[in-house]
mmCIF file of all heavy atoms in Angstrom:
data_model
loop_
_atom_site.group_PDB
_atom_site.id
_atom_site.type_symbol
_atom_site.label_atom_id
_atom_site.label_comp_id
_atom_site.label_asym_id
_atom_site.label_seq_id
_atom_site.Cartn_x
_atom_site.Cartn_y
_atom_site.Cartn_z
ATOM 1 N N TYR L 1 -128.995 23.323 3.439
ATOM 2 C CA TYR L 1 -128.037 24.220 2.758
ATOM 3 C C TYR L 1 -127.192 23.428 1.846
ATOM 4 O O TYR L 1 -126.459 22.325 2.296
ATOM 5 C CB TYR L 1 -127.132 24.965 3.858
ATOM 6 C CG TYR L 1 -126.117 25.988 3.210
ATOM 7 C CD1 TYR L 1 -126.690 27.281 2.959
ATOM 8 C CD2 TYR L 1 -124.972 25.650 2.757
ATOM 9 C CE1 TYR L 1 -125.969 28.277 2.367
ATOM 10 C CE2 TYR L 1 -124.123 26.657 2.245
ATOM 11 C CZ TYR L 1 -124.688 27.916 2.000
ATOM 12 O OH TYR L 1 -123.966 28.860 1.399
ATOM 13 N N LEU L 2 -126.977 23.904 0.585
ATOM 14 C CA LEU L 2 -126.210 23.117 -0.360
ATOM 15 C C LEU L 2 -124.997 24.093 -0.805
ATOM 16 O O LEU L 2 -124.916 25.166 -0.542
ATOM 17 C CB LEU L 2 -127.004 22.837 -1.615
ATOM 18 C CG LEU L 2 -127.834 21.593 -1.714
ATOM 19 C CD1 LEU L 2 -128.949 21.644 -0.585
ATOM 20 C CD2 LEU L 2 -128.363 21.297 -3.041
ATOM 21 N N PRO L 3 -124.037 23.436 -1.342
ATOM 22 C CA PRO L 3 -122.635 24.261 -1.739
ATOM 23 C C PRO L 3 -122.962 25.514 -2.729
ATOM 24 O O PRO L 3 -123.989 25.419 -3.301
ATOM 25 C CB PRO L 3 -121.764 23.166 -2.517
ATOM 26 C CG PRO L 3 -122.283 21.843 -2.058
ATOM 27 C CD PRO L 3 -123.688 22.016 -1.741
ATOM 28 N N MET L 4 -122.101 26.357 -2.629
ATOM 29 C CA MET L 4 -122.229 27.446 -3.435
ATOM 30 C C MET L 4 -121.524 27.388 -4.749
ATOM 31 O O MET L 4 -121.746 28.220 -5.710
ATOM 32 C CB MET L 4 -121.489 28.790 -2.806
ATOM 33 C CG MET L 4 -120.024 28.647 -2.612
ATOM 34 S SD MET L 4 -119.344 30.039 -1.765
ATOM 35 C CE MET L 4 -119.656 31.455 -2.888
ATOM 36 N N LEU L 5 -120.738 26.287 -5.105
ATOM 37 C CA LEU L 5 -120.129 25.961 -6.283
ATOM 38 C C LEU L 5 -120.714 24.915 -7.050
ATOM 39 O O LEU L 5 -121.136 23.881 -6.455
ATOM 40 C CB LEU L 5 -118.619 25.606 -5.999
ATOM 41 C CG LEU L 5 -117.801 26.730 -5.348
ATOM 42 C CD1 LEU L 5 -116.360 26.297 -5.323
ATOM 43 C CD2 LEU L 5 -117.759 28.048 -6.061
ATOM 44 N N ILE L 6 -120.932 25.074 -8.352
ATOM 45 C CA ILE L 6 -121.620 24.143 -9.238
ATOM 46 C C ILE L 6 -120.576 23.703 -10.381
ATOM 47 O O ILE L 6 -120.089 24.547 -11.104
ATOM 48 C CB ILE L 6 -122.899 24.761 -9.822
ATOM 49 C CG1 ILE L 6 -123.750 25.277 -8.761
ATOM 50 C CG2 ILE L 6 -123.525 23.692 -10.737
ATOM 51 C CD1 ILE L 6 -125.008 25.976 -9.407
ATOM 52 N N PRO L 7 -120.223 22.468 -10.366
ATOM 53 C CA PRO L 7 -119.326 22.007 -11.307
ATOM 54 C C PRO L 7 -120.010 22.372 -12.899
ATOM 55 O O PRO L 7 -121.225 22.090 -13.017
ATOM 56 C CB PRO L 7 -119.329 20.420 -11.231
ATOM 57 C CG PRO L 7 -119.617 20.182 -9.751
ATOM 58 C CD PRO L 7 -120.659 21.298 -9.520
ATOM 59 N N GLU L 8 -119.136 22.786 -13.767
ATOM 60 C CA GLU L 8 -119.671 23.092 -15.081
ATOM 61 C C GLU L 8 -120.355 21.898 -15.688
ATOM 62 O O GLU L 8 -121.388 22.064 -16.430
ATOM 63 C CB GLU L 8 -118.498 23.477 -16.057
ATOM 64 C CG GLU L 8 -118.979 24.179 -17.315
ATOM 65 C CD GLU L 8 -117.913 24.664 -18.124
ATOM 66 O OE1 GLU L 8 -116.709 24.547 -17.814
ATOM 67 O OE2 GLU L 8 -118.170 25.367 -19.107
ATOM 68 N N SER L 9 -119.932 20.652 -15.571
ATOM 69 C CA SER L 9 -120.506 19.569 -16.170
ATOM 70 C C SER L 9 -122.040 19.298 -15.630
ATOM 71 O O SER L 9 -122.850 18.865 -16.358
ATOM 72 C CB SER L 9 -119.658 18.246 -15.910
ATOM 73 O OG SER L 9 -119.499 18.070 -14.542
ATOM 74 N N LEU L 10 -122.209 19.676 -14.320
ATOM 75 C CA LEU L 10 -123.539 19.555 -13.720
ATOM 76 C C LEU L 10 -124.449 20.475 -14.337
ATOM 77 O O LEU L 10 -125.518 20.222 -14.574
ATOM 78 C CB LEU L 10 -123.363 19.672 -12.269
ATOM 79 C CG LEU L 10 -124.606 19.288 -11.418
ATOM 80 C CD1 LEU L 10 -125.017 17.875 -11.461
ATOM 81 C CD2 LEU L 10 -124.392 19.647 -9.883
ATOM 82 N N LEU L 11 -123.957 21.775 -14.459
ATOM 83 C CA LEU L 11 -124.821 22.816 -14.976
ATOM 84 C C LEU L 11 -125.133 22.630 -16.394
ATOM 85 O O LEU L 11 -126.303 22.990 -16.915
ATOM 86 C CB LEU L 11 -123.847 24.082 -14.892
ATOM 87 C CG LEU L 11 -124.757 25.474 -14.898
ATOM 88 C CD1 LEU L 11 -125.688 25.560 -13.704
ATOM 89 C CD2 LEU L 11 -123.708 26.714 -14.945
ATOM 90 N N GLN L 12 -124.373 21.880 -17.124
ATOM 91 C CA GLN L 12 -124.684 21.625 -18.509
ATOM 92 C C GLN L 12 -125.698 20.486 -18.725
ATOM 93 O O GLN L 12 -126.302 20.590 -19.842
ATOM 94 C CB GLN L 12 -123.283 21.095 -19.188
ATOM 95 C CG GLN L 12 -122.199 22.201 -19.290
ATOM 96 C CD GLN L 12 -122.520 23.276 -20.324
ATOM 97 O OE1 GLN L 12 -123.447 23.254 -21.139
ATOM 98 N NE2 GLN L 12 -121.764 24.317 -20.311
ATOM 99 N N LYS L 13 -126.204 19.933 -17.694
ATOM 100 C CA LYS L 13 -127.059 18.809 -17.926
ATOM 101 C C LYS L 13 -128.459 19.288 -18.482
ATOM 102 O O LYS L 13 -129.192 18.467 -18.894
ATOM 103 C CB LYS L 13 -127.218 17.947 -16.601
ATOM 104 C CG LYS L 13 -126.080 16.968 -16.351
ATOM 105 C CD LYS L 13 -126.464 16.007 -15.341
ATOM 106 C CE LYS L 13 -125.299 14.953 -15.250
ATOM 107 N NZ LYS L 13 -125.598 13.953 -14.304
ATOM 108 N N GLU L 14 -128.939 20.531 -18.091
ATOM 109 C CA GLU L 14 -130.183 20.960 -18.421
ATOM 110 C C GLU L 14 -129.966 22.162 -19.346
ATOM 111 O O GLU L 14 -129.556 23.225 -19.004
ATOM 112 C CB GLU L 14 -131.089 21.425 -17.326
ATOM 113 C CG GLU L 14 -132.598 21.204 -17.428
ATOM 114 C CD GLU L 14 -133.273 21.997 -18.514
ATOM 115 O OE1 GLU L 14 -132.761 23.115 -18.717
ATOM 116 O OE2 GLU L 14 -134.238 21.539 -19.152
ATOM 117 N N LYS L 15 -130.183 21.957 -20.701
ATOM 118 C CA LYS L 15 -129.848 22.837 -21.730
ATOM 119 C C LYS L 15 -130.401 24.155 -21.691
ATOM 120 O O LYS L 15 -129.737 25.165 -21.606
ATOM 121 C CB LYS L 15 -130.024 22.143 -23.157
ATOM 122 C CG LYS L 15 -129.706 22.977 -24.275
ATOM 123 C CD LYS L 15 -129.918 22.241 -25.639
ATOM 124 C CE LYS L 15 -129.565 23.035 -26.833
ATOM 125 N NZ LYS L 15 -130.615 24.046 -27.140
ATOM 126 N N ASP L 16 -131.812 24.270 -21.437
ATOM 127 C CA ASP L 16 -132.392 25.550 -21.444
ATOM 128 C C ASP L 16 -132.012 26.367 -20.182
ATOM 129 O O ASP L 16 -131.862 27.524 -20.357
ATOM 130 C CB ASP L 16 -133.997 25.353 -21.492
ATOM 131 C CG ASP L 16 -134.563 24.791 -22.699
ATOM 132 O OD1 ASP L 16 -133.748 25.000 -23.749
ATOM 133 O OD2 ASP L 16 -135.620 24.253 -22.879
ATOM 134 N N HIS L 17 -131.848 25.614 -19.140
ATOM 135 C CA HIS L 17 -131.408 26.263 -17.876
ATOM 136 C C HIS L 17 -130.041 26.981 -18.003
ATOM 137 O O HIS L 17 -129.956 28.129 -17.649
ATOM 138 C CB HIS L 17 -131.504 25.253 -16.771
ATOM 139 C CG HIS L 17 -131.220 25.757 -15.388
ATOM 140 N ND1 HIS L 17 -132.116 26.551 -14.696
ATOM 141 C CD2 HIS L 17 -130.101 25.622 -14.644
ATOM 142 C CE1 HIS L 17 -131.533 26.843 -13.591
ATOM 143 N NE2 HIS L 17 -130.360 26.396 -13.437
ATOM 144 N N VAL L 18 -129.048 26.172 -18.537
ATOM 145 C CA VAL L 18 -127.814 26.801 -18.536
ATOM 146 C C VAL L 18 -127.815 27.888 -19.591
ATOM 147 O O VAL L 18 -126.984 28.897 -19.291
ATOM 148 C CB VAL L 18 -126.752 25.718 -18.904
ATOM 149 C CG1 VAL L 18 -126.942 25.142 -20.234
ATOM 150 C CG2 VAL L 18 -125.390 26.259 -18.634
ATOM 151 N N GLU L 19 -128.382 27.788 -20.663
ATOM 152 C CA GLU L 19 -128.443 28.852 -21.624
ATOM 153 C C GLU L 19 -128.953 30.068 -21.004
ATOM 154 O O GLU L 19 -128.552 31.278 -21.334
ATOM 155 C CB GLU L 19 -129.164 28.465 -22.860
ATOM 156 C CG GLU L 19 -128.393 27.482 -23.749
ATOM 157 C CD GLU L 19 -129.314 27.083 -25.081
ATOM 158 O OE1 GLU L 19 -130.400 27.624 -25.216
ATOM 159 O OE2 GLU L 19 -128.587 26.370 -25.908
ATOM 160 N N GLY L 20 -130.075 29.963 -20.278
ATOM 161 C CA GLY L 20 -130.681 31.170 -19.603
ATOM 162 C C GLY L 20 -129.757 31.832 -18.597
ATOM 163 O O GLY L 20 -129.784 33.146 -18.529
ATOM 164 N N PHE L 21 -128.782 31.292 -17.948
ATOM 165 C CA PHE L 21 -127.924 31.824 -16.929
ATOM 166 C C PHE L 21 -126.502 32.059 -17.441
ATOM 167 O O PHE L 21 -125.785 32.697 -16.739
ATOM 168 C CB PHE L 21 -127.976 30.922 -15.716
ATOM 169 C CG PHE L 21 -129.198 31.180 -14.848
ATOM 170 C CD1 PHE L 21 -130.219 30.221 -14.843
ATOM 171 C CD2 PHE L 21 -129.253 32.362 -13.961
ATOM 172 C CE1 PHE L 21 -131.313 30.533 -14.051
ATOM 173 C CE2 PHE L 21 -130.340 32.580 -13.322
ATOM 174 C CZ PHE L 21 -131.433 31.641 -13.290
ATOM 175 N N ALA L 22 -126.123 31.539 -18.491
ATOM 176 C CA ALA L 22 -124.700 31.594 -19.027
ATOM 177 C C ALA L 22 -124.192 32.947 -19.018
ATOM 178 O O ALA L 22 -122.973 33.255 -18.420
ATOM 179 C CB ALA L 22 -124.718 31.114 -20.410
ATOM 180 N N PRO L 23 -124.870 34.065 -19.479
ATOM 181 C CA PRO L 23 -124.257 35.429 -19.433
ATOM 182 C C PRO L 23 -123.903 35.913 -18.180
ATOM 183 O O PRO L 23 -123.276 36.794 -17.921
ATOM 184 C CB PRO L 23 -125.351 36.234 -20.277
ATOM 185 C CG PRO L 23 -126.300 35.241 -20.935
ATOM 186 C CD PRO L 23 -126.187 34.065 -20.072
ATOM 187 N N GLU L 24 -124.670 35.459 -17.103
ATOM 188 C CA GLU L 24 -124.522 35.924 -15.734
ATOM 189 C C GLU L 24 -123.613 35.028 -14.820
ATOM 190 O O GLU L 24 -123.478 35.365 -13.658
ATOM 191 C CB GLU L 24 -126.018 35.978 -15.030
ATOM 192 C CG GLU L 24 -126.915 37.060 -15.762
ATOM 193 C CD GLU L 24 -128.291 36.972 -15.301
ATOM 194 O OE1 GLU L 24 -128.587 36.057 -14.433
ATOM 195 O OE2 GLU L 24 -129.183 37.859 -15.642
ATOM 196 N N CYS L 25 -123.115 34.097 -15.251
ATOM 197 C CA CYS L 25 -122.303 33.168 -14.427
ATOM 198 C C CYS L 25 -120.846 33.769 -14.283
ATOM 199 O O CYS L 25 -120.287 34.196 -15.071
ATOM 200 C CB CYS L 25 -122.127 31.708 -15.167
ATOM 201 S SG CYS L 25 -123.720 30.828 -15.171
ATOM 202 N N ALA L 26 -120.462 33.599 -12.996
ATOM 203 C CA ALA L 26 -119.068 33.858 -12.522
ATOM 204 C C ALA L 26 -118.427 32.557 -12.223
ATOM 205 O O ALA L 26 -119.006 31.684 -11.642
ATOM 206 C CB ALA L 26 -119.094 34.690 -11.396
ATOM 207 N N TRP L 27 -117.180 32.346 -12.695
ATOM 208 C CA TRP L 27 -116.548 31.060 -12.608
ATOM 209 C C TRP L 27 -115.258 31.070 -11.667
ATOM 210 O O TRP L 27 -114.489 31.984 -11.633
ATOM 211 C CB TRP L 27 -116.228 30.623 -14.036
ATOM 212 C CG TRP L 27 -117.285 30.405 -14.933
ATOM 213 C CD1 TRP L 27 -117.777 31.301 -15.876
ATOM 214 C CD2 TRP L 27 -118.044 29.224 -14.995
ATOM 215 N NE1 TRP L 27 -118.820 30.831 -16.499
ATOM 216 C CE2 TRP L 27 -118.955 29.567 -16.133
ATOM 217 C CE3 TRP L 27 -118.019 28.030 -14.500
ATOM 218 C CZ2 TRP L 27 -119.892 28.612 -16.527
ATOM 219 C CZ3 TRP L 27 -118.975 27.100 -14.878
ATOM 220 C CH2 TRP L 27 -119.920 27.361 -15.891
ATOM 221 N N VAL L 28 -115.112 30.059 -10.969
ATOM 222 C CA VAL L 28 -113.829 29.753 -10.213
ATOM 223 C C VAL L 28 -112.953 28.892 -11.017
ATOM 224 O O VAL L 28 -113.518 27.707 -11.332
ATOM 225 C CB VAL L 28 -114.227 29.167 -8.758
ATOM 226 C CG1 VAL L 28 -112.881 28.790 -8.124
ATOM 227 C CG2 VAL L 28 -115.017 30.104 -7.998
ATOM 228 N N THR L 29 -111.738 29.366 -11.333
ATOM 229 C CA THR L 29 -110.860 28.517 -12.321
ATOM 230 C C THR L 29 -109.580 28.088 -11.441
ATOM 231 O O THR L 29 -108.814 27.182 -11.836
ATOM 232 C CB THR L 29 -110.483 29.235 -13.459
ATOM 233 O OG1 THR L 29 -109.951 30.531 -13.112
ATOM 234 C CG2 THR L 29 -111.763 29.538 -14.409
ATOM 235 N N PHE L 30 -109.325 28.619 -10.237
ATOM 236 C CA PHE L 30 -108.123 28.164 -9.563
ATOM 237 C C PHE L 30 -108.475 27.771 -8.193
ATOM 238 O O PHE L 30 -109.481 28.410 -7.505
ATOM 239 C CB PHE L 30 -107.158 29.463 -9.431
ATOM 240 C CG PHE L 30 -106.287 29.577 -10.552
ATOM 241 C CD1 PHE L 30 -106.631 29.979 -11.897
ATOM 242 C CD2 PHE L 30 -104.959 29.102 -10.445
ATOM 243 C CE1 PHE L 30 -105.808 30.143 -12.999
ATOM 244 C CE2 PHE L 30 -103.929 29.301 -11.559
ATOM 245 C CZ PHE L 30 -104.545 29.670 -12.779
ATOM 246 N N GLY L 31 -107.898 26.889 -7.673
ATOM 247 C CA GLY L 31 -107.937 26.441 -6.174
ATOM 248 C C GLY L 31 -106.667 26.698 -5.627
ATOM 249 O O GLY L 31 -105.600 25.884 -5.928
ATOM 250 N N GLY L 32 -106.403 27.739 -4.859
ATOM 251 C CA GLY L 32 -105.144 28.144 -4.320
ATOM 252 C C GLY L 32 -104.294 28.625 -5.598
ATOM 253 O O GLY L 32 -104.836 29.590 -6.318
ATOM 254 N N ASN L 33 -103.196 28.037 -5.683
ATOM 255 C CA ASN L 33 -102.436 28.431 -6.845
ATOM 256 C C ASN L 33 -102.496 27.356 -8.080
ATOM 257 O O ASN L 33 -101.843 27.652 -9.143
ATOM 258 C CB ASN L 33 -100.788 28.468 -6.389
ATOM 259 C CG ASN L 33 -100.481 29.603 -5.588
ATOM 260 O OD1 ASN L 33 -101.205 30.629 -5.687
ATOM 261 N ND2 ASN L 33 -99.652 29.333 -4.524
#
């Protein structure tokens, strides 16, 4: 079992992969406040 959150920098490492999923990605931008 791996984490459910992927850092954006990690996702960007494989260009074709990230482009394919970009429109469907949901992002976490806050931790608490």
Side-chain angles (χ1 to χ4, degrees):
Y1 190 83
L2 276 67
M4 67 181 296
L5 299 179
I6 307 172
E8 185 171 15
S9 56
L10 190 65
L11 200 62
Q12 294 286 350
K13 281 194 172 184
E14 215 291 328
K15 182 172 176 287
D16 289 342
H17 183 70
V18 70
E19 284 182 359
F21 280 101
E24 298 175 348
C25 288
W27 297 94
V28 176
T29 57
F30 273 75
N33 294 323

